[in-house]
Amino acid sequence: MPVDLKTTPQKSLVPADEPGTAGSQIVTSTQGEFVAQDEASSDAHPSVGADVSMLTDKTPPWLRASRRMAIITLLVGVAFWFYSIKPVWHADPWSHIAYGKLIVSEGLPATEQLLPLARGMAYWNSSWLFDVLLRNVDRTLGGAGLQGATGIFAGLIVAIFVSSLAYTTGRTLLACGMGMALLFLIGHDLSILRSQLAGIVCFLTAWILWQGAIRNAHAWWQLPLLFAVWANLDSSFMVGLIVPVAMMAGRMVDRWVKTGQWKSILRDQHLGKLLLVTQLCLLATLLNPYQGRMWWEVLTFSQNPNLSAMVDWSPLTLRSTEGQFFAATILILLGVVRSSPRRLGTGEMILLVSLAALGCWNTRQLVWFYPVALWTLAMHASAILSKNGWSKHASPRAGKWSVVMVGLVWICFGFSPLGMRVLHGKQPTASRLNVAFAPVELTQYLVKKPPEGQIFNPVEWGDYLLVHGPENLKIFANSQVQRLPREVWRDYLTIVDLGSGWSEILDRYSINTVVLDKQFREGVIRRMKEETAWKLVYEDGRGAVFTRKLPITR
């Protein structure tokens, strides 16, 4: 019977891999007709397309990156660059360097050594390891190293927060948006190179590890090791212990609500693991030079009456900008949680309330609340997006994104002060390294003409004078006001406020040299110029130096 070739399609009459088929092969059209393609005709009509094999990604799979990683790298690189070009404007970096030099040369002292008026006062330093590290950075890389360290800490904080949030939610743009919000809310704190930056890095790392502690088989050694290092870098390690306590309290409440029996709490294996790891972390914090005394000093630190005059340690109020941002964050978080199909866990609620209360008590503690609040906000925002049909898109890995990441890192590093120092040996100028408030020229004058005996200086300049001033300079105060005797601190405040008997206080301390800044003590400078017992020996746009006409010799 004849076969109707138009109605009976066949895929091939000759196997493609048999000899003799290179010249022609038969394929089937959509209508079932045979179509012969003469490959020999390609010689007469050469193809103008590129060789497809040249476009194959030959990057090793382990070296390929995704578009998500490239976007996060861009945000991290910009954060590093932005904070690394900022000048060193706070007293804390110079305080860390001054005490780092003391620790390296003499070890941890038992009593205060850098403040002559606090000699004999007990000395403890929760950030001694950070002091030593920063001193070595300054000694090796100079001012560029200090600026670079600020940028590195800022970049690390953004990288840990954004990458973990993007991995958890699967939404890169949402995670990057929360990362930028975090930079906005704690950007002021990130610009100050102090041990708290190391504490924030440790807090975020611990926060992420605690969330997976139940499933992580290595949590029993990872978290204690982190807390052992943290306890020698910054006193904020105690904030890190609030996280597991809140998680355990929340789990206990959930178990009791679910079963109505307290015995179910005792039989909860996950709760037992959290308790064990928490105990190991608690013991790890004792691995510091002060052992158990560190806990007592940290808990009683904020009760020091000298701190009441410091703005950083004041309570949060709605009249301040910090208070208004805090209130706005709370309102936005409540609105998103109310609209979210995701349940707010009891442990999350306890942690948020605890950190919010800590921030209200002390404005400097807001840096611990905002990362957790923004993380919670992102989780519920992601749930709302999923509910409304906003799907999560996969981010395949490719070698081109690895090249993009390397280029971004190189650009951000190369155009930073640290990159200029490493690649070209260039140090930032004094005007770029220091803000206009720093007494650069005034300190150079004091180095040329070192004052004798006890001097009076602004508390904001004390640490800078210790690092850059003449050797063995006897400053009156520095940023570590908690180490000063209460009477000395009251006398300091009386002098800068031109209170009753301020001139007699200078006589009582046998002060022959007074150093003053113009930004906050312009009135004191004017009054000193009117005093017949003092003469102006140096003045510039930032400050002035006065000496007695008849020095006190006792």
Side-chain angles (χ1 to χ4, degrees):
M1 175 183 286
V3 179
D4 188 356
L5 296 179
K6 293 185 179 181
T7 59
T8 307
Q10 299 184 24
K11 295 183 179 180
S12 176
L13 296 179
V14 182
D17 56 348
E18 287 187 8
T21 62
S24 65
Q25 60 181 0
I26 303 175
V27 297
T28 307
S29 68
T30 55
Q31 291 81 15
E33 298 179 339
F34 289 101
V35 180
Q37 294 182 339
D38 189 0
E39 294 182 357
S41 62
S42 63
D43 296 333
H45 303 283
S47 175
V48 296
D51 187 356
V52 178
S53 64
M54 298 295 293
L55 303 178
T56 304
D57 192 349
K58 298 181 180 180
T59 309
W62 61 271
L63 196 57
R64 297 175 187 175
S66 63
R67 181 174 59 181
R68 171 189 301 174
M69 297 170 65
I71 295 174
I72 296 175
T73 301
L74 174 61
L75 180 60
V76 172
V78 171
F80 161 78
W81 175 82
F82 178 77
Y83 283 96
S84 66
I85 64 174
K86 284 181 169 291
V88 180
W89 67 274
H90 203 273
D92 281 359
W94 308 121
S95 175
H96 286 301
I97 294 173
Y99 284 97
K101 290 180 178 179
L102 175 66
I103 294 171
V104 170
S105 60
E106 302 180 13
L108 278 170
T111 58
E112 175 61 45
Q113 300 295 315
L114 299 183
L115 294 172
L117 299 179
R119 289 287 173 86
M121 298 290 290
Y123 174 89
W124 72 278
N125 189 349
S126 61
S127 61
W128 70 271
L129 182 58
F130 187 86
D131 294 354
V132 173
L133 293 175
L134 199 61
R135 173 261 181 190
N136 291 333
V137 169
D138 179 60
R139 183 180 181 183
T140 305
L141 298 173
L146 299 180
Q147 291 180 296
T150 307
I152 289 172
F153 277 117
L156 274 176
I157 291 168
V158 174
I160 295 172
F161 180 80
V162 174
S163 61
S164 301
L165 189 57
Y167 176 80
T168 304
T169 62
R171 301 183 186 277
T172 306
L173 295 181
L174 176 64
C176 290
M178 291 300 163
M180 288 187 286
L182 182 65
L183 289 174
F184 175 77
L185 291 170
I186 67 171
H188 173 77
D189 297 276
L190 295 183
S191 65
I192 304 174
L193 182 57
R194 56 187 174 196
S195 60
Q196 190 180 47
L197 294 183
I200 298 174
V201 172
C202 293
F203 176 79
L204 290 176
T205 305
W207 160 248
I208 294 167
L209 290 176
W210 278 122
Q211 293 186 79
I214 295 177
R215 300 179 301 273
N216 184 4
H218 303 286
W220 67 271
W221 66 266
Q222 291 176 341
L223 280 163
L225 178 61
L226 174 64
F227 273 86
V229 177
W230 192 354
N232 293 276
L233 287 172
D234 187 59
S235 60
S236 59
F237 66 90
M238 297 190 67
V239 181
L241 292 172
I242 297 178
V243 177
V245 172
M247 292 175 63
M248 289 187 293
R251 191 170 183 85
M252 291 171 64
V253 172
D254 290 340
R255 293 291 295 178
W256 184 81
V257 171
K258 183 178 181 180
T259 63
Q261 297 179 356
W262 290 106
K263 292 183 179 179
S264 64
I265 298 176
L266 301 177
R267 293 193 297 264
D268 190 342
Q269 296 182 354
H270 292 167
L271 185 61
K273 183 176 180 180
L274 282 176
L275 180 60
L276 174 61
V277 177
T278 303
Q279 291 173 333
L280 292 175
C281 292
L282 186 112
L283 292 174
T285 61
L286 300 178
L287 300 178
N288 65 81
Y290 306 97
Q291 301 176 351
R293 178 191 164 198
M294 176 72 77
W295 274 75
W296 173 256
E297 297 292 350
V298 171
L299 289 172
T300 59
F301 176 79
S302 60
Q303 300 177 11
N304 191 300
N306 292 355
L307 297 176
S308 60
M310 309 300 288
V311 177
D312 285 353
W313 298 97
S314 59
L316 187 67
T317 63
L318 283 176
R319 291 190 300 271
S320 64
T321 304
E322 294 86 355
Q324 294 165 8
F325 285 147
F326 174 79
T329 303
I330 293 291
L331 292 176
I332 294 173
L333 181 60
L334 290 175
V336 172
V337 170
R338 181 178 176 82
S339 305
S340 171
R342 182 179 182 271
R343 174 181 174 270
L344 180 64
T346 308
E348 292 177 296
M349 189 183 305
I350 295 174
L351 180 60
L352 283 169
V353 172
S354 301
L355 296 179
L358 190 64
C360 291
W361 175 58
N362 189 316
T363 56
R364 190 165 172 176
Q365 309 305 323
L366 286 173
V367 295
W368 318 115
F369 167 75
Y370 283 127
V372 178
L374 292 175
W375 183 285
T376 306
L377 181 63
M379 297 298 293
H380 288 272
S382 178
I384 294 174
L385 292 175
S386 298
K387 178 183 176 181
N388 294 328
W390 290 69
S391 60
K392 303 175 183 180
H393 301 285
S395 182
R397 294 173 177 263
K400 63 180 180 180
W401 296 118
S402 301
V403 176
V404 171
M405 288 177 61
V406 172
L408 291 173
V409 171
W410 180 255
I411 292 172
C412 294
F413 175 77
F415 285 91
S416 69
L418 180 60
M420 293 294 182
R421 169 65 178 82
V422 174
L423 300 176
H424 307 289
K426 295 181 179 180
Q427 282 284 7
T429 61
S431 59
R432 288 184 176 272
L433 177 62
N434 301 282
V435 292
F437 180 69
V440 179
E441 291 82 6
L442 186 148
T443 304
Q444 293 173 355
Y445 169 82
L446 294 178
V447 171
K448 295 177 181 179
K449 297 183 178 181
E452 296 182 1
Q454 182 67 54
I455 74 167
F456 181 85
N457 63 276
V459 66
E460 298 87 355
W461 282 0
D463 299 296
Y464 187 92
L465 294 174
L466 280 176
V467 175
H468 301 281
E471 190 175 357
N472 299 323
L473 182 65
K474 295 181 179 181
I475 64 171
F476 195 95
N478 65 355
S479 60
Q480 306 302 311
V481 298
Q482 74 278 3
R483 294 173 182 161
L484 287 173
R486 181 59 180 163
E487 180 183 359
V488 174
W489 180 240
R490 281 199 296 260
D491 290 339
Y492 171 86
L493 294 177
T494 301
I495 294 172
V496 296
D497 293 336
L498 295 177
S500 177
W502 68 273
S503 181
E504 289 75 9
I505 294 175
L506 293 176
D507 296 341
R508 190 168 73 245
Y509 285 100
S510 301
I511 293 175
N512 293 319
T513 303
V514 174
V515 178
L516 296 169
D517 65 280
K518 289 187 174 181
Q519 183 170 346
F520 301 110
R521 281 93 193 182
E522 183 69 36
V524 184
I525 292 177
R526 288 197 300 267
R527 183 63 181 273
M528 290 289 293
K529 290 179 178 180
E530 298 172 358
E531 292 290 318
T532 58
W534 296 88
K535 63 178 178 179
L536 178 67
V537 295
Y538 178 85
E539 184 176 15
D540 58 22
R542 303 179 183 183
V545 179
F546 295 87
T547 59
R548 286 187 185 271
K549 295 179 180 179
L550 297 176
I552 299 176
T553 57
R554 67 173 185 270

